Amino acid sequence: MMQKKILRPDRLRQVPAQFSWLDQRLVRENFLRHGQPTAWALYLVLVTVADAQGLSYYSDATLSRLLQLDTLHLARARQQLIAGDLVAYQKPLYQVLVGHTRRRLSFFVMVLCYSRRLYVQFTLAQTQEHFLACHQRAFEYFNGVTSEVIVDNCKTAILSHPVGQPAVQHPRYLDFARHYGFAIKACRPRKAHEKGRVEKAVHYVKQNFLAGLQLSSLEALNAAASRWLDQVANVRVHGETHQTPQELFAAEQSALQPLTVKPYEPAVLQTVLVSSRCRVTFDTNRYSVPPAF
């Protein structure tokens, strides 16, 4: 005997034809069963505001305001969508205008292990001279040198690090470390969690300082980062220590080595050939020089 279905007008909902993909992605793939409501809401916003290529340019700050979510819950919702293959993660590309050319940005982060006091500096490259100069600026910001610096296996610090063997340190970085009197400690290969404080700080810079920021010149960006360090990052109550980095730094500063040595020269000298038109090429740019050269 067949049971006749009884229509319930109060349960009827009309969905426009252009939104038929909701049934396939959210219902048939069981995302409604496994996902959280915050992830459903984020997905609806992202696909609604996406362009013809499916790209959404809304910043995290805008998404947080629209969905009334804090940064942590927004990150969790996005991670659920990525895990469900509903959205693809595209690493943000930070750029500034230098002259008439847009240049890609990098940034250096150093975190003191005890106080979690943070230093950040933006650069146009990740070369050896930038790497060493950022170290110097960090030591000046902290007004002292740590006894040890934990680094990953970047080529500016570690030339090679075979599994189960000591790291081969870059001779220039080793000379820099001896100059300031700190020991180099390299993380084990593919063990980025061994410098988890830095990894978390990088995420914090992206989510708090860079989110929704209108990038201008490199000088203006570093000036804004300096204000952010003093007015936000280092005076906030840290989630793990439950104190501000600035408060804990007062107890940590006495353990730092004083900056008494002469500043290290991080610059790299390079010989270039002058063309017949009195030009030299450096870092993809051409510069004029006196005809005598």
Side-chain angles (χ1 to χ4, degrees), residues 98-101 103 124 129-130 219 270-293:
V98 179
H100 299 287
T101 306
R103 296 285 302 271
L124 295 177
E129 57 266 37
H130 287 92
E219 294 76 12
Q270 182 176 337
T271 302
V272 293
L273 183 66
V274 181
S275 71
S276 59
R277 297 189 176 187
C278 304
R279 301 286 190 276
V280 294
T281 302
F282 179 76
D283 194 20
T284 71
N285 293 313
R286 288 191 297 272
Y287 301 92
S288 61
V289 298
F293 292 100

Side-chain angles (χ1 to χ4, degrees), residues 210-225:
L210 286 175
L213 182 68
Q214 296 296 321
L215 304 178
S216 55
S217 67
L218 180 63
E219 294 76 12
L221 182 60
N222 275 318

Side-chain angles (χ1 to χ4, degrees), residues 222-240:
N222 275 318
S226 180
R227 292 191 297 271
W228 176 77
L229 288 173
D230 295 336
Q231 299 173 12
V232 179
N234 290 325
V235 295
R236 79 193 192 281
V237 176
H238 196 276
E240 293 182 1

Side-chain angles (χ1 to χ4, degrees), residues 1-292:
M1 183 176 178
M2 297 182 62
Q3 184 177 2
K4 185 178 179 180
K5 290 184 178 181
I6 301 176
L7 295 179
R8 292 282 302 275
D10 59 314
R11 292 188 179 183
L12 294 179
R13 299 290 186 272
Q14 183 177 3
V15 179
Q18 64 265 31
F19 287 103
S20 59
W21 46 263
L22 288 175
D23 176 65
Q24 195 264 332
R25 298 309 306 272
L26 299 185
V27 179
R28 294 184 184 177
E29 296 183 10
N30 285 326
F31 188 76
L32 286 178
R33 184 185 302 273
H34 303 295
Q36 296 295 320
T38 52
W40 311 340
L42 176 60
Y43 183 60
L44 292 177
V45 170
L46 291 177
V47 296
T48 302
V49 302
D51 62 13
Q53 285 74 42
L55 295 176
S56 171
Y57 296 94
Y58 275 38
S59 68
D60 282 1
T62 301
L63 292 173
S64 294
R65 185 173 64 254
L66 288 174
L67 298 171
Q68 298 182 3
L69 295 174
D70 58 30
T71 304
L72 178 61
H73 287 88
L74 179 65
R76 288 176 178 173
R78 179 184 284 111
Q79 198 58 45
Q80 285 189 27
L81 296 180
I82 294 173
D85 198 28
L86 288 166
V87 299
Y89 174 71
Q90 185 174 5
K91 186 177 181 180
L93 181 63
Y94 304 113
Q95 296 181 333
V96 291
L97 190 64
V98 179
H100 299 287
T101 306
R102 297 202 68 83
R103 296 285 302 271
R104 184 172 180 174
L105 276 174
S106 300
F107 63 91
F108 170 93
V109 171
M110 183 178 283
V111 184
L112 296 181
C113 288
Y114 175 73
S115 66
R116 308 302 205 276
R117 196 176 190 211
L118 173 66
Y119 175 77
V120 60
Q121 181 178 341
F122 290 83
T123 65
L124 295 177
Q126 300 180 23
T127 60
Q128 186 76 47
E129 57 266 37
H130 287 92
F131 186 64
L132 300 183
C134 286
H135 275 66
Q136 280 187 321
R137 294 288 182 86
F139 294 153
E140 292 170 0
Y141 181 75
F142 299 137
N143 195 29
V145 181
T146 58
S147 59
E148 184 178 77
V149 175
I150 303 174
V151 295
D152 56 17
N153 292 282
C154 57
K155 294 301 181 182
T156 49
I158 305 298
L159 294 179
S160 63
H161 196 175
V163 177
Q165 299 183 29
V168 179
Q169 299 168 347
H170 194 292
R172 187 85 192 279
Y173 188 51
L174 181 59
D175 184 59
F176 179 85
R178 288 170 176 167
H179 179 84
Y180 282 104
F182 67 86
I184 303 171
K185 182 179 179 180
C187 296
R188 289 176 296 170
R190 297 180 294 278
K191 299 291 183 181
H193 65 273
E194 293 184 349
K195 58 178 185 67
R197 291 179 178 88
V198 172
E199 297 298 326
K200 290 180 180 178
V202 169
H203 179 75
Y204 177 58
V205 171
K206 292 179 178 179
Q207 296 296 320
N208 189 287
F209 177 67
L210 286 175
L213 182 68
Q214 296 296 321
L215 304 178
S216 55
S217 67
L218 180 63
E219 294 76 12
L221 182 60
N222 275 318
S226 180
R227 292 191 297 271
W228 176 77
L229 288 173
D230 295 336
Q231 299 173 12
V232 179
N234 290 325
V235 295
R236 79 193 192 281
V237 176
H238 196 276
E240 293 182 1
T241 65
H242 304 294
Q243 296 186 60
T244 69
Q246 190 63 35
E247 291 171 343
L248 291 177
F249 180 70
E252 185 178 31
Q253 190 171 16
S254 60
L256 299 179
Q257 304 174 71
L259 275 173
T260 57
V261 296
K262 183 180 179 181
Y264 190 87
E265 179 51 70
V268 174
L269 298 179
Q270 182 176 337
T271 302
V272 293
L273 183 66
V274 181
S275 71
S276 59
R277 297 189 176 187
C278 304
R279 301 286 190 276
V280 294
T281 302
F282 179 76
D283 194 20
T284 71
N285 293 313
R286 288 191 297 272
Y287 301 92
S288 61
V289 298

